[in-house]
Amino acid sequence: MQHYPEAMNRLIRSLCRLPGIGEKSAERLAMYLLQAPDAEVSMLAKNISELKKQVNICSCCFSLSDEDKCRICRDPSRDAGLVCVVESPADMAAIEKSGGFNGVYHILQGLLSPMDGIGPADIRIAELVKKAAGENIREIIVATATNIEGEATATYIMNQLSPGHVKVTRIASGVPMGGELKYVDQVTLKKALEARYDV
Amino acid sequence: MQHYPEAMNRLIRSLCRLPGIGEKSAERLAMYLLQAPDAEVSMLAKNISELKKQVNICSCCFSLSDEDKCRICRDPSRDAGLVCVVESPADMAAIEKSGGFNGVYHILQGLLSPMDGIGPADIRIAELVKKAAGENIREIIVATATNIEGEATATYIMNQLSPGHVKVTRIASGVPMGGELKYVDQVTLKKALEARYDV
Protein backbone atom coordinates (compact mmCIF):
# COMPACT_ATOMS: atom_id res chain seq x y z
CA MET A 1 0.00 0.00 0.00
CA GLN A 2 2.95 2.38 0.38
CA HIS A 3 2.87 2.83 -3.39
CA TYR A 4 -0.19 5.07 -3.21
CA PRO A 5 -0.57 8.61 -1.85
CA GLU A 6 -1.43 8.80 1.84
CA ALA A 7 -5.08 9.86 1.29
CA MET A 8 -5.53 6.79 -0.89
CA ASN A 9 -3.93 4.50 1.71
CA ARG A 10 -6.18 5.94 4.43
CA LEU A 11 -9.29 5.20 2.36
CA ILE A 12 -8.05 1.69 1.51
CA ARG A 13 -7.53 0.98 5.23
CA SER A 14 -11.04 2.25 6.04
CA LEU A 15 -12.59 0.14 3.28
CA CYS A 16 -10.66 -2.96 4.43
CA ARG A 17 -12.56 -2.85 7.72
CA LEU A 18 -15.87 -3.49 5.95
CA PRO A 19 -17.11 -7.09 5.89
CA GLY A 20 -16.15 -9.01 2.75
CA ILE A 21 -13.77 -6.31 1.49
CA GLY A 22 -10.13 -7.41 1.27
CA GLU A 23 -7.13 -5.30 0.30
CA LYS A 24 -7.51 -5.97 -3.43
CA SER A 25 -11.20 -5.01 -3.45
CA ALA A 26 -10.47 -1.96 -1.32
CA GLU A 27 -7.81 -0.83 -3.81
CA ARG A 28 -10.23 -1.29 -6.68
CA LEU A 29 -12.98 0.63 -4.89
CA ALA A 30 -10.61 3.48 -4.00
CA MET A 31 -9.38 3.65 -7.60
CA TYR A 32 -12.99 3.76 -8.80
CA LEU A 33 -13.88 6.54 -6.35
CA LEU A 34 -10.88 8.55 -7.51
CA GLN A 35 -12.24 8.52 -11.05
CA ALA A 36 -15.96 8.68 -10.26
CA PRO A 37 -17.95 11.92 -10.71
CA ASP A 38 -17.65 14.34 -7.75
CA ALA A 39 -21.41 14.27 -7.17
CA GLU A 40 -21.47 10.48 -6.81
CA VAL A 41 -18.53 10.45 -4.38
CA SER A 42 -19.88 13.21 -2.17
CA MET A 43 -23.33 11.58 -2.20
CA LEU A 44 -21.80 8.32 -0.97
CA ALA A 45 -19.86 10.10 1.79
CA LYS A 46 -23.00 12.01 2.83
CA ASN A 47 -25.18 8.90 2.87
CA ILE A 48 -22.64 7.08 5.03
CA SER A 49 -22.28 9.89 7.55
CA GLU A 50 -26.03 10.52 7.81
CA LEU A 51 -27.09 6.89 8.09
CA LYS A 52 -26.95 6.59 11.86
CA LYS A 53 -28.51 10.00 12.48
CA GLN A 54 -31.56 9.23 10.37
CA VAL A 55 -32.29 5.62 11.22
CA ASN A 56 -34.23 4.89 14.40
CA ILE A 57 -35.34 1.71 16.09
CA CYS A 58 -39.10 1.13 15.94
CA SER A 59 -40.52 1.42 19.47
CA CYS A 60 -42.97 -1.40 18.75
CA CYS A 61 -41.12 -4.12 16.80
CA PHE A 62 -37.46 -2.98 17.23
CA SER A 63 -36.91 -2.96 13.49
CA LEU A 64 -35.22 -0.07 11.66
CA SER A 65 -37.43 2.94 11.10
CA ASP A 66 -37.51 6.52 9.84
CA GLU A 67 -39.87 7.53 12.63
CA ASP A 68 -40.87 6.35 16.11
CA LYS A 69 -42.90 3.46 14.66
CA CYS A 70 -41.85 1.66 11.48
CA ARG A 71 -43.85 1.54 8.25
CA ILE A 72 -45.18 -1.94 8.97
CA CYS A 73 -46.30 -1.23 12.55
CA ARG A 74 -48.04 1.96 11.29
CA ASP A 75 -49.80 0.16 8.42
CA PRO A 76 -53.47 -0.49 9.38
CA SER A 77 -53.78 -3.14 6.63
CA ARG A 78 -51.28 -5.44 8.39
CA ASP A 79 -52.64 -8.08 10.78
CA ALA A 80 -51.37 -6.88 14.16
CA GLY A 81 -52.58 -10.11 15.81
CA LEU A 82 -49.99 -12.22 13.94
CA VAL A 83 -46.41 -11.62 15.09
CA CYS A 84 -43.37 -13.05 13.31
CA VAL A 85 -40.27 -13.24 15.55
CA VAL A 86 -36.94 -12.85 13.70
CA GLU A 87 -33.33 -12.23 14.62
CA SER A 88 -32.61 -9.08 12.62
CA PRO A 89 -34.02 -6.42 10.28
CA ALA A 90 -32.31 -8.28 7.41
CA ASP A 91 -34.37 -11.40 8.19
CA MET A 92 -37.48 -9.24 8.28
CA ALA A 93 -36.57 -7.79 4.87
CA ALA A 94 -36.11 -11.33 3.49
CA ILE A 95 -39.59 -12.37 4.66
CA GLU A 96 -41.12 -9.14 3.31
CA LYS A 97 -39.54 -9.84 -0.08
CA SER A 98 -41.13 -13.31 -0.08
CA GLY A 99 -44.53 -11.60 -0.01
CA GLY A 100 -45.87 -14.48 2.10
CA PHE A 101 -46.66 -12.61 5.30
CA ASN A 102 -49.17 -9.93 6.18
CA GLY A 103 -48.69 -9.76 9.94
CA VAL A 104 -46.24 -7.68 11.98
CA TYR A 105 -42.74 -8.45 13.26
CA HIS A 106 -40.77 -8.61 16.46
CA ILE A 107 -37.01 -8.18 15.99
CA LEU A 108 -34.98 -9.93 18.70
CA GLN A 109 -31.81 -8.01 17.77
CA GLY A 110 -29.72 -11.15 18.28
CA LEU A 111 -29.89 -14.82 19.23
CA LEU A 112 -29.09 -16.57 22.50
CA SER A 113 -25.44 -17.60 22.48
CA PRO A 114 -24.02 -18.56 25.90
CA MET A 115 -20.56 -19.04 24.32
CA ASP A 116 -20.55 -15.34 23.38
CA GLY A 117 -22.14 -14.31 26.67
CA ILE A 118 -25.49 -13.42 25.07
CA GLY A 119 -28.31 -14.38 27.43
CA PRO A 120 -32.09 -13.77 27.41
CA ALA A 121 -31.66 -10.30 28.93
CA ASP A 122 -29.45 -9.19 26.03
CA ILE A 123 -32.07 -9.69 23.34
CA ARG A 124 -35.69 -8.52 23.11
CA ILE A 125 -37.34 -11.55 24.75
CA ALA A 126 -38.89 -9.75 27.75
CA GLU A 127 -40.57 -7.31 25.30
CA LEU A 128 -41.92 -10.26 23.31
CA VAL A 129 -43.35 -11.96 26.40
CA LYS A 130 -45.03 -8.67 27.38
CA LYS A 131 -46.35 -8.21 23.84
CA ALA A 132 -47.71 -11.79 23.82
CA ALA A 133 -49.72 -11.00 26.95
CA GLY A 134 -51.66 -8.36 24.99
CA GLU A 135 -55.27 -9.23 24.22
CA ASN A 136 -55.16 -8.69 20.48
CA ILE A 137 -52.31 -11.14 19.74
CA ARG A 138 -53.53 -14.46 18.26
CA GLU A 139 -50.38 -16.19 17.03
CA ILE A 140 -46.62 -15.86 17.35
CA ILE A 141 -44.51 -17.43 14.59
CA VAL A 142 -40.94 -18.11 15.74
CA ALA A 143 -38.84 -17.58 12.60
CA THR A 144 -35.31 -17.61 13.98
CA ALA A 145 -32.57 -19.39 11.99
CA THR A 146 -32.38 -23.19 11.95
CA ASN A 147 -28.76 -23.24 13.20
CA ILE A 148 -27.79 -24.03 16.82
CA GLU A 149 -28.31 -20.50 18.19
CA GLY A 150 -31.55 -20.06 16.25
CA GLU A 151 -33.01 -23.37 17.45
CA ALA A 152 -31.93 -22.72 21.04
CA THR A 153 -33.49 -19.27 20.95
CA ALA A 154 -36.69 -20.68 19.44
CA THR A 155 -36.92 -23.35 22.16
CA TYR A 156 -36.36 -20.77 24.90
CA ILE A 157 -39.01 -18.45 23.47
CA MET A 158 -41.51 -21.27 23.04
CA ASN A 159 -40.99 -22.27 26.69
CA GLN A 160 -41.44 -18.68 27.85
CA LEU A 161 -44.68 -18.30 25.91
CA SER A 162 -46.09 -21.81 26.45
CA PRO A 163 -48.41 -21.20 29.41
CA GLY A 164 -50.01 -18.21 27.67
CA HIS A 165 -53.25 -17.84 25.70
CA VAL A 166 -51.35 -17.29 22.45
CA LYS A 167 -50.78 -19.93 19.77
CA VAL A 168 -47.03 -20.33 19.18
CA THR A 169 -45.72 -21.80 15.92
CA ARG A 170 -42.30 -22.42 14.37
CA ILE A 171 -41.45 -21.74 10.72
CA ALA A 172 -41.26 -25.02 8.68
CA SER A 173 -38.00 -26.76 7.79
CA GLY A 174 -37.62 -28.94 4.70
CA VAL A 175 -36.28 -29.28 1.20
CA PRO A 176 -35.75 -25.83 -0.37
CA MET A 177 -38.03 -25.18 -3.37
CA GLY A 178 -36.33 -25.95 -6.67
CA GLY A 179 -33.82 -28.10 -4.79
CA GLU A 180 -32.78 -31.60 -5.92
CA LEU A 181 -32.96 -34.18 -3.15
CA LYS A 182 -29.46 -35.51 -3.81
CA TYR A 183 -27.98 -32.11 -2.93
CA VAL A 184 -29.95 -31.62 0.29
CA ASP A 185 -28.11 -32.36 3.55
CA GLN A 186 -29.13 -35.32 5.74
CA VAL A 187 -30.48 -33.33 8.68
CA THR A 188 -32.76 -31.31 6.41
CA LEU A 189 -33.99 -34.47 4.64
CA LYS A 190 -34.76 -36.14 7.99
CA LYS A 191 -36.72 -33.02 9.06
CA ALA A 192 -38.54 -32.95 5.74
CA LEU A 193 -39.56 -36.62 6.08
CA GLU A 194 -40.74 -36.17 9.67
CA ALA A 195 -42.79 -33.12 8.66
CA ARG A 196 -44.45 -34.85 5.68
CA TYR A 197 -48.10 -33.94 5.13
CA ASP A 198 -51.19 -35.49 3.52
CA VAL A 199 -52.09 -34.40 0.01
CA MET B 1 -35.37 -2.35 -0.60
CA GLN B 2 -38.63 -0.65 0.38
CA HIS B 3 -38.45 -2.63 3.63
CA TYR B 4 -35.68 -0.41 5.02
CA PRO B 5 -35.83 3.22 6.19
CA GLU B 6 -35.16 5.81 3.47
CA ALA B 7 -31.66 6.72 4.73
CA MET B 8 -30.71 3.05 4.54
CA ASN B 9 -32.12 2.71 1.01
CA ARG B 10 -30.21 5.80 -0.10
CA LEU B 11 -26.94 4.34 1.19
CA ILE B 12 -27.68 0.95 -0.39
CA ARG B 13 -28.28 2.66 -3.74
CA SER B 14 -24.98 4.59 -3.44
CA LEU B 15 -23.05 1.44 -2.53
CA CYS B 16 -24.62 -0.48 -5.45
CA ARG B 17 -22.91 1.92 -7.86
CA LEU B 18 -19.47 0.72 -6.72
CA PRO B 19 -17.78 -1.93 -8.87
CA GLY B 20 -18.32 -5.49 -7.65
CA ILE B 21 -20.99 -4.50 -5.10
CA GLY B 22 -24.43 -5.94 -5.80
CA GLU B 23 -27.63 -5.32 -3.88
CA LYS B 24 -27.00 -8.12 -1.36
CA SER B 25 -23.46 -6.92 -0.55
CA ALA B 26 -24.68 -3.32 -0.34
CA GLU B 27 -27.35 -4.36 2.17
CA ARG B 28 -24.75 -6.19 4.23
CA LEU B 29 -22.36 -3.23 4.17
CA ALA B 30 -25.12 -0.79 5.13
CA MET B 31 -26.20 -3.07 7.98
CA TYR B 32 -22.57 -3.27 9.16
CA LEU B 33 -22.16 0.52 9.02
CA LEU B 34 -25.36 0.96 11.04
CA GLN B 35 -23.86 -1.11 13.84
CA ALA B 36 -20.22 -0.01 13.51
CA PRO B 37 -18.63 2.47 15.97
CA ASP B 38 -19.38 6.12 15.15
CA ALA B 39 -15.67 6.93 14.82
CA GLU B 40 -15.14 4.25 12.19
CA VAL B 41 -18.16 5.35 10.15
CA SER B 42 -17.28 9.04 10.20
CA MET B 43 -13.65 8.21 9.36
CA LEU B 44 -14.80 6.27 6.29
CA ALA B 45 -17.07 9.12 5.16
CA LYS B 46 -14.25 11.63 5.70
CA ASN B 47 -11.70 9.55 3.82
CA ILE B 48 -14.06 9.17 0.87
CA SER B 49 -14.90 12.86 0.65
CA GLU B 50 -11.28 14.00 1.02
CA LEU B 51 -9.78 11.51 -1.42
CA LYS B 52 -10.07 13.61 -4.56
CA LYS B 53 -8.99 16.82 -2.85
CA GLN B 54 -5.78 15.31 -1.55
CA VAL B 55 -4.64 13.14 -4.43
CA ASN B 56 -2.78 14.82 -7.31
CA ILE B 57 -1.36 13.54 -10.57
CA CYS B 58 2.46 13.49 -10.66
CA SER B 59 3.65 16.08 -13.18
CA CYS B 60 6.47 13.78 -14.26
CA CYS B 61 5.07 10.22 -14.52
CA PHE B 62 1.26 10.90 -14.29
CA SER B 63 0.91 8.51 -11.38
CA LEU B 64 -1.03 9.38 -8.22
CA SER B 65 0.80 11.64 -5.81
CA ASP B 66 0.48 13.63 -2.60
CA GLU B 67 2.57 16.47 -4.05
CA ASP B 68 3.54 17.84 -7.46
CA LYS B 69 5.97 14.98 -8.05
CA CYS B 70 5.33 11.47 -6.74
CA ARG B 71 7.47 9.63 -4.22
CA ILE B 72 9.20 7.54 -6.88
CA CYS B 73 10.04 10.47 -9.18
CA ARG B 74 11.42 12.38 -6.15
CA ASP B 75 13.53 9.43 -4.94
CA PRO B 76 17.20 9.97 -5.95
CA SER B 77 17.98 6.25 -5.43
CA ARG B 78 15.69 5.26 -8.34
CA ASP B 79 17.26 4.86 -11.79
CA ALA B 80 15.70 7.75 -13.77
CA GLY B 81 17.21 6.41 -17.01
CA LEU B 82 15.00 3.30 -16.96
CA VAL B 83 11.32 4.03 -17.63
CA CYS B 84 8.56 1.43 -17.25
CA VAL B 85 5.41 2.27 -19.24
CA VAL B 86 2.16 1.01 -17.69
CA GLU B 87 -1.54 1.58 -18.17
CA SER B 88 -2.56 2.70 -14.67
CA PRO B 89 -1.38 3.47 -11.11
CA ALA B 90 -2.72 0.03 -10.11
CA ASP B 91 -0.30 -1.64 -12.58
CA MET B 92 2.50 0.48 -11.16
CA ALA B 93 1.58 -0.63 -7.64
CA ALA B 94 1.63 -4.28 -8.78
CA ILE B 95 5.16 -3.91 -10.21
CA GLU B 96 6.32 -2.05 -7.08
CA LYS B 97 5.02 -4.92 -4.92
CA SER B 98 7.03 -7.39 -7.02
CA GLY B 99 10.19 -5.58 -5.88
CA GLY B 100 11.78 -6.34 -9.25
CA PHE B 101 12.14 -2.81 -10.57
CA ASN B 102 14.26 0.14 -9.49
CA GLY B 103 13.60 2.56 -12.34
CA VAL B 104 10.80 5.11 -12.75
CA TYR B 105 7.37 4.87 -14.36
CA HIS B 106 5.29 6.48 -17.05
CA ILE B 107 1.54 6.04 -16.58
CA LEU B 108 -0.40 6.11 -19.86
CA GLN B 109 -3.75 6.61 -18.05
CA GLY B 110 -5.41 4.24 -20.50
CA LEU B 111 -4.84 2.02 -23.52
CA LEU B 112 -5.58 2.61 -27.19
CA SER B 113 -9.06 1.32 -27.99
CA PRO B 114 -10.51 2.54 -31.30
CA MET B 115 -13.80 0.75 -30.51
CA ASP B 116 -14.22 3.01 -27.47
CA GLY B 117 -12.94 6.06 -29.33
CA ILE B 118 -9.65 6.18 -27.40
CA GLY B 119 -6.85 7.26 -29.73
CA PRO B 120 -3.19 8.19 -29.17
CA ALA B 121 -4.12 11.77 -28.22
CA ASP B 122 -6.32 10.55 -25.37
CA ILE B 123 -3.53 8.82 -23.46
CA ARG B 124 -0.07 10.04 -22.41
CA ILE B 125 1.87 8.94 -25.51
CA ALA B 126 3.04 12.40 -26.66
CA GLU B 127 4.51 12.97 -23.19
CA LEU B 128 6.30 9.62 -23.39
CA VAL B 129 7.80 10.42 -26.81
CA LYS B 130 8.98 13.78 -25.48
CA LYS B 131 10.40 12.11 -22.38
CA ALA B 132 12.21 9.49 -24.52
CA ALA B 133 13.96 12.32 -26.38
CA GLY B 134 15.63 13.39 -23.12
CA GLU B 135 19.36 12.69 -22.93
CA ASN B 136 19.36 10.78 -19.67
CA ILE B 137 16.87 8.06 -20.75
CA ARG B 138 18.56 4.71 -21.59
CA GLU B 139 15.72 2.21 -21.82
CA ILE B 140 11.94 2.19 -22.01
CA ILE B 141 10.17 -1.00 -20.93
CA VAL B 142 6.66 -1.27 -22.39
CA ALA B 143 4.67 -3.09 -19.70
CA THR B 144 1.11 -2.71 -20.93
CA ALA B 145 -1.28 -5.66 -20.58
CA THR B 146 -1.00 -8.65 -22.93
CA ASN B 147 -4.63 -8.38 -24.09
CA ILE B 148 -5.67 -6.86 -27.44
CA GLU B 149 -5.66 -3.22 -26.32
CA GLY B 150 -2.41 -3.66 -24.39
CA GLU B 151 -0.60 -5.30 -27.32
CA ALA B 152 -1.92 -2.70 -29.78
CA THR B 153 -0.81 0.12 -27.50
CA ALA B 154 2.61 -1.51 -27.06
CA THR B 155 3.05 -1.84 -30.83
CA TYR B 156 2.03 1.77 -31.40
CA ILE B 157 4.44 3.02 -28.72
CA MET B 158 7.30 0.89 -30.04
CA ASN B 159 6.72 2.32 -33.54
CA GLN B 160 6.67 5.87 -32.21
CA LEU B 161 9.91 5.38 -30.32
CA SER B 162 11.73 3.19 -32.85
CA PRO B 163 13.78 5.81 -34.71
CA GLY B 164 15.11 7.23 -31.42
CA HIS B 165 18.34 6.70 -29.52
CA VAL B 166 16.57 4.87 -26.70
CA LYS B 167 16.44 1.09 -26.28
CA VAL B 168 12.80 -0.07 -26.21
CA THR B 169 11.86 -3.41 -24.63
CA ARG B 170 8.62 -5.30 -23.92
CA ILE B 171 7.87 -7.14 -20.68
CA ALA B 172 8.19 -10.94 -21.13
CA SER B 173 5.23 -13.28 -21.65
CA GLY B 174 5.29 -16.93 -20.61
CA VAL B 175 4.15 -19.54 -18.12
CA PRO B 176 3.27 -17.90 -14.77
CA MET B 177 5.59 -18.98 -11.94
CA GLY B 178 4.15 -21.81 -9.87
CA GLY B 179 1.84 -22.65 -12.78
CA GLU B 180 1.32 -26.16 -14.12
CA LEU B 181 1.65 -26.41 -17.89
CA LYS B 182 -1.60 -28.31 -18.31
CA TYR B 183 -3.55 -25.34 -16.95
CA VAL B 184 -1.81 -22.72 -19.10
CA ASP B 185 -3.71 -21.52 -22.19
CA GLN B 186 -2.44 -22.29 -25.70
CA VAL B 187 -1.49 -18.76 -26.71
CA THR B 188 0.64 -18.31 -23.60
CA LEU B 189 2.32 -21.69 -24.12
CA LYS B 190 3.12 -20.80 -27.74
CA LYS B 191 4.63 -17.49 -26.59
CA ALA B 192 6.61 -19.25 -23.87
CA LEU B 193 8.05 -21.75 -26.38
CA GLU B 194 8.97 -19.01 -28.86
CA ALA B 195 10.67 -17.03 -26.10
CA ARG B 196 12.69 -20.02 -24.79
CA TYR B 197 16.21 -19.13 -23.65
CA ASP B 198 19.57 -20.90 -23.24
CA VAL B 199 20.47 -22.07 -19.76
Side-chain angles (χ1 to χ4, degrees):
Chain A
M1 293 218 300
Q2 69 269 45
H3 317 301
Y4 291 118
E6 208 24 62
M8 190 89 174
N9 287 340
R10 273 199 302 273
L11 175 58
I12 291 173
R13 279 195 298 272
S14 284
L15 290 169
C16 275
R17 301 179 66 97
L18 300 177
I21 307 278
E23 197 185 314
K24 281 261 172 190
S25 310
E27 266 185 59
R28 194 165 54 128
L29 291 175
M31 208 57 94
Y32 169 84
L33 288 171
L34 200 59
Q35 288 157 8
D38 283 354
E40 182 182 334
V41 177
S42 56
M43 179 62 81
L44 174 63
K46 183 166 159 276
N47 288 341
I48 289 174
S49 59
E50 289 187 353
L51 178 69
K52 284 199 184 198
K53 288 171 216 152
Q54 298 190 357
V55 175
N56 298 314
I57 299 294
C58 172
S59 62
C60 179
C61 74
F62 309 107
S63 174
L64 306 175
S65 175
D66 294 303
E67 304 175 31
D68 175 54
K69 280 195 173 190
C70 75
R71 216 174 319 205
I72 291 170
C73 289
R74 287 199 313 265
D75 185 347
S77 75
R78 308 284 300 213
D79 180 355
L82 182 62
V83 180
C84 183
V85 180
V86 292
E87 177 191 348
S88 67
D91 292 341
M92 186 194 94
I95 294 179
E96 280 298 290
K97 277 180 204 164
S98 81
F101 185 66
N102 193 42
V104 296
Y105 293 90
H106 182 91
I107 318 290
L108 292 172
Q109 297 184 332
L111 292 176
L112 295 180
S113 178
M115 297 283 280
D116 303 316
I118 302 175
D122 299 311
I123 62 177
R124 302 283 186 174
I125 289 183
E127 289 88 346
L128 176 64
V129 173
K130 197 176 154 205
K131 195 182 282 180
E135 274 190 3
N136 57 338
I137 307 285
R138 294 191 321 280
E139 179 177 348
I140 289 179
I141 305 173
V142 183
T144 54
T146 51
N147 55 21
I148 294 175
E149 288 86 6
E151 289 287 351
T153 308
T155 307
Y156 184 89
I157 288 174
M158 291 186 279
N159 285 337
Q160 291 288 306
L161 298 178
S162 63
H165 66 290
V166 174
K167 183 176 166 191
V168 181
T169 54
R170 178 90 172 103
I171 195 169
S173 289
V175 178
M177 292 305 289
E180 288 191 47
L181 260 70
K182 61 186 168 196
Y183 300 128
V184 176
D185 68 280
Q186 295 162 350
V187 182
T188 303
L189 270 183
K190 191 155 172 274
K191 271 268 187 189
L193 284 169
E194 284 167 8
R196 67 188 180 278
Y197 57 92
D198 294 329
V199 288
Chain B
M1 292 218 301
Q2 70 270 44
H3 317 302
Y4 291 118
E6 209 24 64
M8 190 90 172
N9 287 340
R10 273 197 303 271
L11 176 58
I12 291 173
R13 277 195 299 270
S14 285
L15 290 169
C16 274
R17 301 179 66 96
L18 301 176
I21 308 277
E23 197 183 315
K24 280 260 174 193
S25 309
E27 264 186 62
R28 195 165 55 128
L29 291 175
M31 209 56 98
Y32 170 83
L33 288 171
L34 199 60
Q35 287 158 5
D38 283 353
E40 184 182 332
V41 176
S42 55
M43 178 64 80
L44 174 64
K46 184 165 159 276
N47 288 342
I48 289 174
S49 59
E50 288 187 353
L51 177 68
K52 285 201 182 198
K53 287 172 216 152
Q54 298 191 357
V55 174
N56 298 315
I57 299 294
C58 172
S59 62
C60 179
C61 74
F62 309 108
S63 172
L64 306 175
S65 174
D66 294 303
E67 303 176 31
D68 175 53
K69 280 195 174 192
C70 75
R71 218 176 317 208
I72 291 171
C73 289
R74 287 200 312 266
D75 186 347
S77 75
R78 307 286 298 217
D79 181 352
L82 182 61
V83 180
C84 182
V85 180
V86 292
E87 176 189 349
S88 68
D91 292 341
M92 186 195 92
I95 294 180
E96 280 298 291
K97 276 180 203 161
S98 81
F101 185 66
N102 193 41
V104 295
Y105 293 89
H106 181 91
I107 317 290
L108 292 172
Q109 298 184 329
L111 293 176
L112 295 180
S113 179
M115 296 285 278
D116 302 315
I118 302 175
D122 299 311
I123 62 176
R124 303 283 186 172
I125 289 182
E127 290 87 345
L128 176 63
V129 172
K130 197 177 154 202
K131 195 183 280 179
E135 273 188 4
N136 57 338
I137 307 286
R138 294 193 321 283
E139 180 177 346
I140 289 179
I141 306 172
V142 183
T144 52
T146 51
N147 55 21
I148 293 176
E149 288 86 6
E151 289 286 351
T153 308
T155 307
Y156 184 88
I157 288 173
M158 292 187 278
N159 284 338
Q160 290 288 306
L161 298 177
S162 62
H165 66 290
V166 174
K167 184 176 164 190
V168 182
T169 54
R170 178 93 172 100
I171 196 168
S173 289
V175 178
M177 293 304 290
E180 288 191 49
L181 260 67
K182 63 185 167 197
Y183 300 129
V184 176
D185 68 280
Q186 295 161 350
V187 182
T188 303
L189 269 184
K190 193 155 170 272
K191 270 269 188 191
L193 285 169
E194 283 167 6
R196 67 189 181 276
Y197 58 93
D198 294 329
V199 288

